[in-house]
Amino acid sequence: MTTTPTAPSPTRSLLDAVRAGVRVVDLGRRLTVGMPQSPNHPPYWHALPRRHGDMVRVDGGSAANDMISMGTHVGTHVDALAHVSQDGRLYGGLEVADALEGGRYAELGAHTIAPMVRPGVLLDVPSALGVGRLEPGYEITVADLERTLELQGSTIVPGDVVLVRSGWGQHFDSGAKELFIGHDSGVPGVGAAGAQWLVDHGIHATGADTIAYECLPPGAGHATLPAHRVLLVENGVYIVETMDLEELAADRIHAFVFVLSPLPFFGATGSPVRPLAVVEDE
Amino acid sequence: MTTTPTAPSPTRSLLDAVRAGVRVVDLGRRLTVGMPQSPNHPPYWHALPRRHGDMVRVDGGSAANDMISMGTHVGTHVDALAHVSQDGRLYGGLEVADALEGGRYAELGAHTIAPMVRPGVLLDVPSALGVGRLEPGYEITVADLERTLELQGSTIVPGDVVLVRSGWGQHFDSGAKELFIGHDSGVPGVGAAGAQWLVDHGIHATGADTIAYECLPPGAGHATLPAHRVLLVENGVYIVETMDLEELAADRIHAFVFVLSPLPFFGATGSPVRPLAVVEDE
Amino acid sequence: MTTTPTAPSPTRSLLDAVRAGVRVVDLGRRLTVGMPQSPNHPPYWHALPRRHGDMVRVDGGSAANDMISMGTHVGTHVDALAHVSQDGRLYGGLEVADALEGGRYAELGAHTIAPMVRPGVLLDVPSALGVGRLEPGYEITVADLERTLELQGSTIVPGDVVLVRSGWGQHFDSGAKELFIGHDSGVPGVGAAGAQWLVDHGIHATGADTIAYECLPPGAGHATLPAHRVLLVENGVYIVETMDLEELAADRIHAFVFVLSPLPFFGATGSPVRPLAVVEDE
Amino acid sequence: MTTTPTAPSPTRSLLDAVRAGVRVVDLGRRLTVGMPQSPNHPPYWHALPRRHGDMVRVDGGSAANDMISMGTHVGTHVDALAHVSQDGRLYGGLEVADALEGGRYAELGAHTIAPMVRPGVLLDVPSALGVGRLEPGYEITVADLERTLELQGSTIVPGDVVLVRSGWGQHFDSGAKELFIGHDSGVPGVGAAGAQWLVDHGIHATGADTIAYECLPPGAGHATLPAHRVLLVENGVYIVETMDLEELAADRIHAFVFVLSPLPFFGATGSPVRPLAVVEDE
């Protein structure tokens, strides 16, 4: 028998912090059949092919199981860099045909998104602007972002993940499904300028509480996606959509450890995720 | 405009630890069409309904998207407590019919699994036993678990997550798909006694690098699942299967922060996951 | 070698009729992503996991393939007798629990629908009433059915399949998707009385050019389905929905050979179909 | 009110033949989870999202529904001309890229297969050769086809549909799933020469009781598909696979009306079908 001495522990203070107690704020939306999602993607559906009692083993045990059909841009989700192209090219100038291998995006697909355990910053724009929720179609300006940063006393360090709250997430499970999607009403969000401001701060990823991250003018649908172009195509910054940012805002948690662990679907353009904000217990 | 002062930061040392640099070890398997999985569940399939170039907007932008079909017990995954019943009852004595609501497991479904940010312990059994990989069908005994704990100098604290390595995960992407599944060959793992030992240590969840967590005798298939009964039904301990534990073992990382954030599929019996082991950078 | 003399041909006149030339009128709707369908069922989605060129064999050959997700009540479809129950019982008084086997409707499921090659009758109600299309929410009365039969000079023989046209099918691919579904607007159709009249004529199956066969009052949705109860549950008469009856009506083809060959999905509650009306070439 | 006189009936003898009584032989296989199918296509899966009792309306009515995931080349199915290409071209010399529109085969897709009501001929090769079933990997020769035709006293007229029986379909539901697929064992069928012989007879479509129509040598898998090239790509002749031809053979029904009504999946490469052979009642 070989002894297997433990390596000198490199995890002392991190583990200590966790042992001392952490609060985990769930930033993901529950996946339910019929929830609001973009009509451009296969909707989330779920059924149980086998329920308890359908087939019981002789020992009295029984297992139930599931069948799921969905797109990847359903519920709270992250966009892979393979999701959006401009003029035939993906991030890094890669030609779209060159990213494919056997019919899937071997390059820049969801499986290439490294799990994130990074400093996270919430920019609670409506709170900074003194409103409960931004107006539909409102474009969050650079001035809004800077004001929010200043009022919060927050700082953004290169490599951070920045979450931009609009308050629009309040519509997700209010029953006003069409309102959350906002095809007719519009949706608030950053535009190209705001996206560039985030890029200039060197962020690794960004997220929002809306379905498309973007500012969608009323009636415009998802026809153009300038922030996606700036973030995904030009700068390789990941986008997380349909987040639940209400608890963070209510408790004024503006700095946290952000955790995101996308499912590594080989060659896909995104993944549903359940992002977390982790802080020490008070 | 209202000022929004940041709450007194409760995250100093945790955030500091992350800013100082962490190593994130990916414990999840890549999801690819054709990967080994249990034939009892709908297999993972993926296609791109739209690739770049299929529909290009007037501004030269293009979005690709996905279509996925799968069970929830595919790839690396976690079992919800609704997955297994014994004599018509789930964890806590809940009658199986009472857990259903509208055809889904409203009680004990995947959406009820709280995200985990907890101390994690690797029990590297084959290293402790001086072998590269356990034999197929080998039942990991309580003596094996205790010897591993002792040799590693590890400790298990109530609430921890304990990962039991068999080495069998080496077969996952070796091309020997049927061998990993082990229907004919058998698969090593803990039995009822080992599961009870884990329960006695007060663990919150446990995982393994095999498809069913259990010790499967050659040719027996998945006919009886004693560890599932002990863990899920009798004690409410979550099980994570098909993990990649090779990197942790190779680098002798036996203590870490374990992160698991299952997709909150309402009423489902499990979720594919990408668990993480987080340690400080050396 | 054994000789295998052909059996005395029983098909002379039928085959002769076909060899002499037949006209096949397609009564099925094309299945496209985004077509109108009931929101109660998983929508039709399709993607090509592999397109030509993704994987080319050394001999220059290449195969493309598909991935489909759907409910069974999508596009033109037939209801199995397992689809609807009343007070816990299916057709023939079968208790719903007794129809299940391993989680599927082994009794009265889609696989039990025998293929139909039967005399078919079109009841072109709007033509008989002198309108191009019935009003939304209009209930087709017994008087309407009798008048149509008389004006057409048609007869219904027990075992026949009777198709009841409302003209509402004109909305199927007009782009007015919500109008075809009719949740707000209502949809014309037979009620309990009309269904009973059809039953009294001994029909084997019936169809319509609407999404639910029923008369749906504006704003009522699919809350009650009296014709389904009369036809499926009380009398075992199959229902075909979302048919294209415009060509038959335009060419005043009121008698034909009706062909329906549902996919024998074991234990399912229905099947998409492509029904045919076959007549001799003029 | 406008009178709507029935058009002079063109269906007299055809309808008369049907009224006189027909026998409908079902040539389709039942679709069940776990049935044998090619591993190159998404497997057939089915679940009931809603069973009776999950949601009962106030009037005591209840509807159950389904969720299906599948490829199109599952169960008994027909290949669209878009399924196979050779050297970058489909039937008619169409370049593969030109057949696509919005990511689906708008040209030569499954929706372009006209429903078939045509004379059908069974070539019962094993009966002609005096065996119950052809050997695995046996290539049905032109001489075999001619001998069968002669012994049966059958004739093939241009436009007919010819079904070539090998007897291999006996393995479909024998439980010997791997044997039916034949990856290791091989499968009997026509080769390029036999396919060309069929083409020379001017047939419209052809079918077989095997999974791939082709002669598959033992261990060769589906690596090359010469009959597909000759039939689909070079001559636009449809192929139907995994048929049940046992009843036709047992009753020596060699001539019949063949009915095939594929689901018009827009842009797909095939469709599951339930083909029928219709003969007059004896």
Side-chain angles (χ1 to χ4, degrees):
Chain A
M1 181 182 305
T2 304
T3 61
T4 57
T6 294
S9 171
T11 67
R12 185 54 45 211
S13 68
L14 187 68
L15 248 183
D16 283 352
V18 168
R19 283 218 184 276
V22 290
R23 174 177 173 191
V24 178
V25 181
D26 188 348
L27 309 180
R29 297 289 183 184
R30 182 176 291 182
L31 291 137
T32 56
V33 175
M35 68 181 173
Q37 72 166 81
S38 164
N40 296 334
H41 300 273
Y44 170 74
W45 263 85
H46 167 245
L48 295 155
R50 204 178 285 174
R51 301 181 185 181
H52 293 290
D54 286 343
M55 293 183 77
V56 180
R57 293 190 306 262
V58 287
D59 69 350
S62 165
N65 63 13
D66 305 288
M67 179 173 171
I68 281 179
S69 175
M70 61 180 188
T72 53
H73 302 255
V74 302
T76 306
H77 61 275
V78 60
D79 293 350
L81 299 183
H83 180 41
V84 171
S85 66
Q86 182 66 33
D87 303 323
R89 291 175 186 274
L90 297 165
Y91 175 63
L94 185 63
E95 292 203 30
V96 294
D98 293 343
L100 278 174
E101 181 183 298
R104 297 189 174 88
Y105 287 109
E107 301 292 330
L108 306 181
H111 62 288
T112 66
I113 308 175
M116 301 177 200
V117 179
R118 288 171 175 269
V121 176
L122 174 73
L123 293 183
D124 184 355
V125 180
S127 293
L129 299 187
V131 298
R133 180 172 64 228
L134 301 181
E135 293 296 311
Y138 179 79
E139 179 173 338
I140 298 171
T141 65
V142 167
D144 293 337
L145 296 170
E146 293 192 330
R147 183 166 302 177
T148 305
L149 199 62
E150 186 185 350
L151 279 171
Q152 289 184 176
S154 297
T155 52
I156 301 173
V157 173
D160 284 3
V161 175
V162 176
L163 311 181
V164 181
R165 178 173 174 262
S166 70
W168 200 251
Q170 295 159 10
H171 294 306
F172 181 82
D173 46 18
S174 67
K177 187 166 152 175
E178 295 309 320
L179 188 58
F180 179 73
I181 295 174
H183 194 280
D184 296 331
S185 62
V187 177
V190 299
Q196 188 60 50
W197 181 88
L198 289 163
V199 164
D200 293 343
H201 281 76
I203 65 168
H204 180 74
T206 180
D209 52 356
T210 58
I211 199 164
Y213 190 86
E214 306 269 346
C215 168
L216 303 179
H222 300 189
T224 57
L225 303 169
H228 279 69
R229 175 177 47 75
V230 170
L231 294 165
L232 292 177
V233 186
E234 298 176 2
N235 293 285
V237 172
Y238 298 106
I239 303 174
V240 186
E241 290 152 348
T242 313
M243 302 184 82
D244 180 357
L245 302 177
E246 295 306 291
E247 183 177 345
L248 285 186
D251 290 356
R252 291 181 295 133
I253 301 173
H254 301 142
F256 43 85
V257 173
F258 177 79
V259 177
L260 186 85
S261 196
L263 293 178
F265 296 126
F266 178 75
T269 69
S271 172
V273 290
R274 190 180 192 179
L276 308 175
V278 187
V279 294
E280 293 172 34
D281 249 356
E282 296 181 61
Chain B
M1 184 182 302
T2 305
T3 60
T4 58
T6 294
S9 170
T11 66
R12 186 55 46 210
S13 69
L14 187 69
L15 247 184
D16 283 353
V18 168
R19 283 217 184 278
V22 290
R23 175 178 172 189
V24 178
V25 181
D26 188 348
L27 308 181
R29 295 290 182 183
R30 182 176 290 181
L31 291 137
T32 55
V33 175
M35 66 182 175
Q37 72 166 81
S38 164
N40 296 334
H41 301 274
Y44 170 75
W45 263 85
H46 167 246
L48 295 155
R50 203 179 284 173
R51 301 181 184 180
H52 293 290
D54 284 344
M55 292 184 77
V56 180
R57 294 190 306 262
V58 287
D59 69 349
S62 165
N65 63 12
D66 305 290
M67 179 173 171
I68 281 178
S69 174
M70 59 181 190
T72 53
H73 302 255
V74 302
T76 306
H77 61 276
V78 61
D79 292 351
L81 299 182
H83 180 44
V84 172
S85 66
Q86 183 66 33
D87 303 323
R89 293 176 184 273
L90 297 166
Y91 174 63
L94 184 64
E95 292 202 31
V96 294
D98 293 342
L100 277 175
E101 181 184 297
R104 297 189 173 89
Y105 287 108
E107 301 292 330
L108 305 182
H111 62 288
T112 66
I113 309 175
M116 302 177 199
V117 179
R118 289 172 174 269
V121 176
L122 174 74
L123 293 182
D124 184 356
V125 180
S127 293
L129 300 187
V131 297
R133 181 172 64 226
L134 301 181
E135 292 297 311
Y138 178 80
E139 180 173 338
I140 298 171
T141 65
V142 167
D144 293 336
L145 295 169
E146 294 192 330
R147 181 167 304 178
T148 304
L149 200 62
E150 185 185 351
L151 279 171
Q152 290 183 175
S154 297
T155 53
I156 301 174
V157 174
D160 284 3
V161 175
V162 176
L163 310 180
V164 181
R165 178 174 174 262
S166 70
W168 200 251
Q170 296 159 9
H171 294 305
F172 181 81
D173 46 18
S174 68
K177 187 166 151 176
E178 295 309 321
L179 188 58
F180 180 74
I181 296 172
H183 194 281
D184 296 331
S185 61
V187 177
V190 299
Q196 188 59 51
W197 181 88
L198 289 164
V199 164
D200 293 342
H201 281 76
I203 64 167
H204 180 74
T206 180
D209 52 355
T210 58
I211 199 163
Y213 189 87
E214 306 268 348
C215 169
L216 303 179
H222 300 189
T224 58
L225 303 169
H228 279 69
R229 177 177 46 74
V230 171
L231 294 165
L232 293 177
V233 185
E234 298 176 2
N235 292 283
V237 172
Y238 298 106
I239 303 174
V240 186
E241 289 152 347
T242 312
M243 302 184 80
D244 181 357
L245 301 177
E246 295 306 290
E247 183 177 344
L248 285 186
D251 290 356
R252 291 182 295 133
I253 301 173
H254 301 142
F256 42 85
V257 174
F258 178 78
V259 178
L260 186 85
S261 196
L263 293 178
F265 296 126
F266 178 76
T269 69
S271 171
V273 290
R274 191 181 192 179
L276 308 175
V278 186
V279 293
E280 293 171 35
D281 249 356
E282 297 180 59
Chain C
M1 183 182 301
T2 305
T3 60
T4 59
T6 293
S9 171
T11 67
R12 186 56 46 211
S13 69
L14 187 68
L15 247 184
D16 283 353
V18 169
R19 282 218 185 275
V22 290
R23 174 177 172 190
V24 178
V25 181
D26 188 348
L27 309 180
R29 296 292 182 182
R30 181 176 290 181
L31 291 138
T32 55
V33 175
M35 68 181 174
Q37 73 166 81
S38 164
N40 296 335
H41 300 274
Y44 170 75
W45 262 85
H46 166 245
L48 294 155
R50 203 178 283 173
R51 301 181 186 180
H52 294 290
D54 285 345
M55 292 183 77
V56 180
R57 294 190 306 263
V58 288
D59 69 350
S62 165
N65 63 12
D66 304 290
M67 179 174 172
I68 281 178
S69 175
M70 60 180 189
T72 53
H73 302 256
V74 302
T76 306
H77 60 276
V78 61
D79 292 351
L81 299 182
H83 180 43
V84 171
S85 66
Q86 182 66 34
D87 302 323
R89 292 176 184 274
L90 296 166
Y91 174 64
L94 184 64
E95 293 202 31
V96 294
D98 293 342
L100 278 174
E101 181 184 298
R104 297 189 174 88
Y105 287 108
E107 301 293 330
L108 305 181
H111 62 288
T112 66
I113 308 175
M116 302 176 199
V117 179
R118 288 172 174 268
V121 176
L122 174 73
L123 293 183
D124 185 354
V125 181
S127 293
L129 299 187
V131 296
R133 181 173 63 227
L134 301 181
E135 293 296 310
Y138 178 80
E139 178 172 338
I140 298 171
T141 65
V142 167
D144 293 336
L145 295 170
E146 293 191 332
R147 182 166 303 179
T148 304
L149 200 61
E150 185 185 351
L151 279 171
Q152 290 184 177
S154 297
T155 53
I156 301 173
V157 175
D160 284 3
V161 175
V162 176
L163 310 180
V164 182
R165 178 174 176 262
S166 69
W168 200 252
Q170 295 159 10
H171 294 305
F172 181 81
D173 47 18
S174 68
K177 187 166 152 175
E178 296 308 322
L179 187 58
F180 180 74
I181 296 172
H183 194 280
D184 296 330
S185 61
V187 177
V190 300
Q196 188 59 52
W197 181 88
L198 288 164
V199 164
D200 292 342
H201 281 77
I203 65 169
H204 180 73
T206 180
D209 51 356
T210 58
I211 198 163
Y213 189 87
E214 307 268 348
C215 169
L216 303 179
H222 300 190
T224 58
L225 304 169
H228 279 69
R229 176 178 45 75
V230 171
L231 294 165
L232 293 177
V233 185
E234 298 175 2
N235 293 284
V237 173
Y238 297 107
I239 303 174
V240 186
E241 290 152 347
T242 312
M243 303 184 81
D244 180 357
L245 301 177
E246 295 306 291
E247 184 177 343
L248 285 185
D251 290 356
R252 291 182 295 132
I253 301 172
H254 301 143
F256 42 86
V257 173
F258 178 80
V259 178
L260 186 84
S261 196
L263 293 179
F265 296 126
F266 178 76
T269 69
S271 171
V273 290
R274 191 181 191 178
L276 308 175
V278 186
V279 294
E280 293 171 35
D281 249 355
E282 294 180 62
Chain D
M1 184 182 303
T2 304
T3 61
T4 57
T6 293
S9 172
T11 67
R12 185 54 47 209
S13 68
L14 187 68
L15 247 183
D16 283 352
V18 168
R19 282 218 185 276
V22 290
R23 174 178 174 192
V24 178
V25 181
D26 188 349
L27 310 180
R29 296 290 182 183
R30 182 175 291 182
L31 290 137
T32 56
V33 175
M35 68 181 173
Q37 71 165 82
S38 164
N40 295 334
H41 300 273
Y44 171 74
W45 263 85
H46 167 245
L48 295 155
R50 204 178 285 173
R51 301 181 186 180
H52 292 290
D54 285 343
M55 292 183 76
V56 179
R57 293 190 306 263
V58 287
D59 69 350
S62 164
N65 63 13
D66 305 289
M67 179 173 171
I68 282 179
S69 175
M70 61 180 188
T72 53
H73 302 255
V74 302
T76 306
H77 61 276
V78 60
D79 292 351
L81 299 182
H83 180 42
V84 171
S85 66
Q86 182 65 33
D87 302 323
R89 292 176 185 274
L90 297 166
Y91 174 63
L94 184 63
E95 293 202 29
V96 294
D98 293 343
L100 278 174
E101 182 184 297
R104 297 188 174 89
Y105 287 108
E107 302 292 330
L108 306 181
H111 62 288
T112 66
I113 308 175
M116 302 177 200
V117 179
R118 288 171 174 268
V121 176
L122 174 73
L123 293 183
D124 184 356
V125 180
S127 294
L129 300 187
V131 297
R133 179 173 65 227
L134 302 181
E135 293 296 311
Y138 179 79
E139 179 171 339
I140 298 171
T141 64
V142 167
D144 294 337
L145 294 169
E146 293 192 332
R147 182 166 303 179
T148 305
L149 199 62
E150 186 186 349
L151 279 172
Q152 290 183 176
S154 298
T155 53
I156 301 173
V157 174
D160 283 3
V161 175
V162 176
L163 310 180
V164 181
R165 178 174 175 263
S166 70
W168 200 251
Q170 295 159 10
H171 294 305
F172 181 81
D173 46 17
S174 67
K177 188 165 151 176
E178 295 309 321
L179 187 58
F180 179 73
I181 296 173
H183 193 281
D184 296 331
S185 61
V187 177
V190 299
Q196 188 60 50
W197 181 88
L198 289 163
V199 164
D200 292 343
H201 281 77
I203 65 168
H204 180 74
T206 180
D209 52 355
T210 58
I211 199 164
Y213 189 87
E214 307 268 348
C215 168
L216 303 179
H222 300 190
T224 58
L225 303 169
H228 279 69
R229 176 176 46 75
V230 170
L231 294 164
L232 292 176
V233 185
E234 298 176 1
N235 293 285
V237 172
Y238 297 106
I239 303 174
V240 186
E241 290 152 347
T242 313
M243 302 184 81
D244 180 356
L245 302 177
E246 295 306 290
E247 183 176 344
L248 285 186
D251 290 356
R252 290 181 296 132
I253 301 172
H254 301 142
F256 42 85
V257 173
F258 178 79
V259 178
L260 185 85
S261 195
L263 293 178
F265 296 126
F266 178 75
T269 69
S271 171
V273 291
R274 190 181 192 177
L276 308 175
V278 186
V279 294
E280 292 171 35
D281 249 356
E282 294 180 63

